[in-house]
Amino acid sequence: MRLSRYFLPLLRDDPKEAEIVSHRLMLRAGMIRQSSAGIYSWLPLGFQVLSKIEQIVREEQDRAGALELLMPTIQPAEIWKESGRYEVYGKEMLRISDRHERAMLYGPTNEELITAIFRDAVKSYKELPRILYHIQWKFRDEIRPRFGVMRGREFLMKDSYSFDLTVEDSRKSYDKMFVAYLRTFARMGLKSVPMVAETGPIGGNLSHEFIILADTGESEVYCHRDLVTLDPPGADTDYEGDLGPVVDAFTGKYAATSEKHDAERFEREVPAKDRLTARGIEVGHIFFFGTKYSESMGCKVQGPGGGLVTVQMGSYGVGVSRLVGAIIEASHDDAGIIWPQSVAPFDAGLINLKVGDATTDAACEDIYAKLQKAGLSVLYDDRDDRAGAKFAAMDLIGLPWQIIVGPKDLASGEVELKERATGARHSLTFESALNRLVQSATEARREAA
């Protein structure tokens, strides 16, 4: 993509309304623009990142055996009245009426609708277990939306729902999603730590928040240092096998957010040298809620003995649009964003330092064509602008690699290759630079295989 033909409205200064790093950088990098409080338009650069994150989430859900569908944003109020949540949900739910005065709502979540779909379609235990998911926009009318996409009113979310015959079977579904989440966040370059979350009246220990560590995180977290160094499950994970050992490895040592933190237990169970206190951002939540919705909505199947059995359920959410902000919070510097290769909007940026110079222009055109032929996505800065402005723009938008082409290096038969994450610069022949870029992209794609 030629930058001269792209839509990238960069801002030089930090917007006054942006309170945190990700909000400032997303606005400055031309990724989003606010439509109204807590609601954003996703511009091309931001939408490319959002789509890549969405695809990683989708691939890992599919790998775990979940089945994708798509439910509407607008739901009938009747099903929420069945579950008993319509009157108690609060003002966060946007309630509306259609032209026939039928009560409707903009879905803040989908437990009721998915339960109704499953109830009406599945009648026998032989059709269990099932995990269904969708990726859809949701709306919650936050009283004070802030922090950009980290706490907006409209947001893109992946929510999965498991349906099982027994509590024991539900544990297997829960473990599948637990492992899928570890892989999902790792593929985005994030280090996630599962932490026990509130279970409400259901009780038990089947509720976990997935927290990524970031200096600018929204809450304080406490954990055993070993949990941060654990490797995520590999792509060859057998989701039909026993996943208990993997889950136990990630839950066997102390980990808690400030809301669940027990200082006495932390000091008792974790040696002083292994105690880690940091800031964290929640990016996912999984929760077994048993028959909370299936009982009230009559979601039953015929069991092995012939009688009706109320289905056991769980829900598993990932904030897809929130992840864009979370990744930036975890990966940035004073100059701008530093995208992990797997979610970067482009694999590399190509900078022409002397637009109008015949030799430099011809070399850039040749390099641009060869990069694309090698299967790399490239943002080519072909604008007639100052070198400093081009460098600042590329650092701001955070592409993993920059290929810098100017008359001086070309005279030596070289280009300059800059790695955004480290700032390291290398003068190389173009063939060597191309090999390094292809290798980097291949490694990122290998993780997805």
Side-chain angles (χ1 to χ4, degrees), residues 59-60 62-65 172 175-184 231-247 250 447-449:
E59 288 171 2
E60 293 304 324
D62 294 346
R63 192 193 302 271
K172 296 176 183 177
D175 288 353
K176 287 181 179 180
M177 291 295 101
F178 189 103
V179 171
Y181 277 32
L182 292 173
R183 282 194 44 76
T184 296
D231 291 329
D236 58 350
T237 298
D238 180 8
Y239 281 93
E240 297 308 317
D242 181 11
L243 298 175
V246 178
V247 177
F250 280 87
E447 294 177 5

Side-chain angles (χ1 to χ4, degrees), residues 200-322:
I202 301 297
N205 62 355
L206 293 187
S207 179
H208 287 89
E209 294 175 343
F210 286 75
I211 306 293
I212 64 165
L213 304 184
D215 292 339
T216 52
E218 60 201 345
S219 61
E220 199 160 20
V221 296
Y222 307 82
C223 69
H224 195 294
R225 195 174 300 275
D226 287 355
L227 295 175
V228 181
T229 61
L230 284 175
D231 291 329
D236 58 350
T237 298
D238 180 8
Y239 281 93
E240 297 308 317
D242 181 11
L243 298 175
V246 178
V247 177
D248 291 344
F250 280 87
T251 58
K253 294 183 177 180
Y254 189 94
T257 60
S258 54
E259 291 80 6
K260 297 281 288 184
H261 178 53
D262 182 335
E264 183 178 328
R265 182 184 159 208
F266 186 48
E267 293 180 5
R268 183 176 67 251
E269 295 183 5
V270 184
K273 66 180 178 64
D274 294 323
R275 292 175 197 155
L276 178 62
T277 301
R279 306 295 297 180
I281 300 170
E282 181 192 341
V283 290
H285 189 183
I286 62 177
F287 179 40
F288 168 68
F289 49 67
T291 60
K292 176 178 173 62
Y293 298 95
S294 53
E295 184 68 48
S296 60
M297 297 184 67
C299 184
K300 304 175 186 291
V301 297
Q302 187 177 44
L308 291 178
V309 179
T310 305
V311 174
Q312 302 286 335
M313 295 176 59
S315 68
Y316 316 88
V318 168
V320 177
S321 53
R322 180 181 172 85

Side-chain angles (χ1 to χ4, degrees), residues 5-272:
R5 300 177 186 173
Y6 198 51
F7 184 61
L8 188 65
L10 302 179
L11 300 178
R12 178 177 299 179
D13 300 317
D14 289 336
K16 294 180 180 179
E17 72 271 21
E19 300 179 52
I20 62 172
V21 170
S22 60
H23 193 191
R24 290 197 295 269
L25 290 178
M26 290 182 75
L27 288 170
R28 287 192 56 211
M31 296 179 65
I32 57 171
R33 286 295 182 266
Q34 181 171 300
S35 171
S36 59
I39 301 175
Y40 294 87
S41 296
W42 290 78
L43 306 187
L45 193 78
F47 186 63
Q48 284 174 263
V49 176
L50 183 68
S51 298
K52 286 198 169 186
I53 290 173
E54 178 182 344
Q55 185 58 25
I56 290 174
V57 171
R58 175 177 289 110
E59 288 171 2
E60 293 304 324
Q61 288 294 294
D62 294 346
R63 192 193 302 271
L67 304 169
E68 187 173 13
L69 48 73
L70 183 62
M71 290 177 276
T73 56
I74 304 298
Q75 303 178 28
E78 291 94 310
I79 55 176
W80 283 70
K81 292 176 181 177
E82 281 188 57
S83 73
R85 284 209 298 175
Y86 185 71
E87 299 298 337
V88 301
Y89 196 89
K91 292 186 177 180
E92 289 79 16
M93 180 191 289
L94 182 61
R95 295 167 169 84
I96 56 179
S97 298
D98 67 12
R99 68 195 305 166
H100 302 292
E101 298 302 319
R102 290 178 292 224
M104 311 290 284
L105 58 97
Y106 194 130
T109 184
N110 280 81
E111 283 83 0
E112 282 80 3
L113 186 52
I114 195 67
T115 302
I117 291 170
F118 199 84
R119 173 194 65 193
D120 296 342
V122 176
K123 305 300 180 185
S124 170
Y125 76 96
K126 295 180 180 180
E127 297 180 69
L128 300 178
R130 290 290 185 274
I131 302 176
L132 304 176
Y133 80 96
H134 78 154
I135 301 173
Q136 178 62 288
W137 291 95
K138 293 180 170 55
F139 184 89
R140 293 176 189 165
D141 199 1
E142 293 273 356
I143 190 170
R144 191 188 172 199
R146 55 198 300 222
F147 304 149
V149 301
M150 294 287 287
R151 192 174 175 181
R153 293 196 296 167
E154 185 183 52
F155 52 95
L156 186 62
M157 185 174 180
K158 185 284 301 179
D159 38 324
S160 307
Y161 302 93
S162 60
F163 300 86
D164 291 278
L165 188 64
T166 67
V167 173
E168 292 74 20
D169 291 341
S170 290
R171 180 63 198 240
K172 296 176 183 177
S173 295
Y174 188 93
D175 288 353
K176 287 181 179 180
M177 291 295 101
F178 189 103
V179 171
Y181 277 32
L182 292 173
R183 282 194 44 76
T184 296
F185 302 131
R187 284 185 56 190
M188 297 176 193
L190 299 172
K191 176 65 69 174
S192 65
V193 180
M195 301 195 177
V196 175
E198 293 291 343
T199 58
I202 301 297
N205 62 355
L206 293 187
S207 179
H208 287 89
E209 294 175 343
F210 286 75
I211 306 293
I212 64 165
L213 304 184
D215 292 339
T216 52
E218 60 201 345
S219 61
E220 199 160 20
V221 296
Y222 307 82
C223 69
H224 195 294
R225 195 174 300 275
D226 287 355
L227 295 175
V228 181
T229 61
L230 284 175
D231 291 329
D236 58 350
T237 298
D238 180 8
Y239 281 93
E240 297 308 317
D242 181 11
L243 298 175
V246 178
V247 177
D248 291 344
F250 280 87
T251 58
K253 294 183 177 180
Y254 189 94
T257 60
S258 54
E259 291 80 6
K260 297 281 288 184
H261 178 53
D262 182 335
E264 183 178 328
R265 182 184 159 208
F266 186 48
E267 293 180 5
R268 183 176 67 251
E269 295 183 5
V270 184

